[in-house]
């Protein structure tokens, strides 16, 4: 399970780093900050990096960042999936669904690890 947890953290961390990199380079390229995509990209990227870093944390605010990051990945997969299915040919579907399957598996592993550590940061202790 440790290998799966490490790989899952890496997948979510790469998603977060990629989103942050794309957002920051777009802003540096002169795109206006008033576009709502950019604050969303910063929040998504930071929360994904937080989810990768703090999956097993016992601190409540870090646990909330983990859940926010995992929810952000799920929402992003749903939005991009709807766009992919609605606007492209079926021959393009594997280019979305294969990486989405890896991301969904990573979210599942991290969610399980977060629940084991305590859903909201409080570890269950034996009396």
């Amino acid at each position: 399970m440790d290998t799966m947890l490490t790989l899952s953290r890496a997948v979510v961390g790469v998603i977060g780093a990629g989103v942050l990199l794309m957002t920051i380079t777009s802003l540096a390229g002169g795109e206006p900050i008033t576009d709502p995509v950019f604050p969303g990209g910063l929040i998504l990227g930071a929360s994904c990096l937080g989810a990768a870093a703090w999956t097993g944390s016992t601190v409540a605010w870090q646990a909330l960042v983990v859940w926010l990051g995992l929810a952000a990945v799920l929402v992003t997969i749903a939005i991009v999936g709807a766009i992919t299915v609605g606007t492209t040919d079926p021959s393009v579907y594997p280019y979305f669904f294969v990486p989405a399957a890896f991301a969904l598996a990573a979210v599942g592993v991290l969610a399980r690890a977060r629940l084991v550590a305590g859903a909201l940061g409080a570890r269950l202790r034996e009396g």
Side-chain angles (χ1 to χ4, degrees):
M1 187 63 185
D2 289 334
T3 304
M4 285 300 295
L5 180 59
T6 302
L7 289 173
S8 298
R9 287 176 135 177
V11 167
V12 173
V14 166
I15 291 170
V19 169
L20 276 177
L21 183 63
M22 287 189 299
T23 303
I24 291 169
T25 55
S26 293
L27 289 172
E31 295 293 326
I33 190 81
T34 56
D35 188 354
V37 171
F38 293 113
L42 293 173
I43 292 169
L44 171 66
S47 62
C48 285
L49 287 176
W54 297 323
T55 301
S57 175
T58 58
V59 180
W61 71 270
Q62 291 175 344
L64 291 174
V65 169
V66 171
W67 290 119
L68 177 65
L70 298 181
V73 171
L74 293 176
V75 169
T76 302
I77 288 171
I79 291 170
V80 174
I83 292 169
T84 301
V85 170
T87 61
T88 62
D89 294 329
S91 62
V92 178
Y93 292 173
Y95 295 110
F96 167 73
F97 288 113
V98 171
F102 283 107
L104 288 173
V107 167
V109 170
L110 292 183
R112 182 182 181 283
R114 179 70 258 163
L115 289 173
V116 168
L120 295 175
R123 230 181 250 275
L124 297 176
R125 299 177 192 265
E126 295 181 16

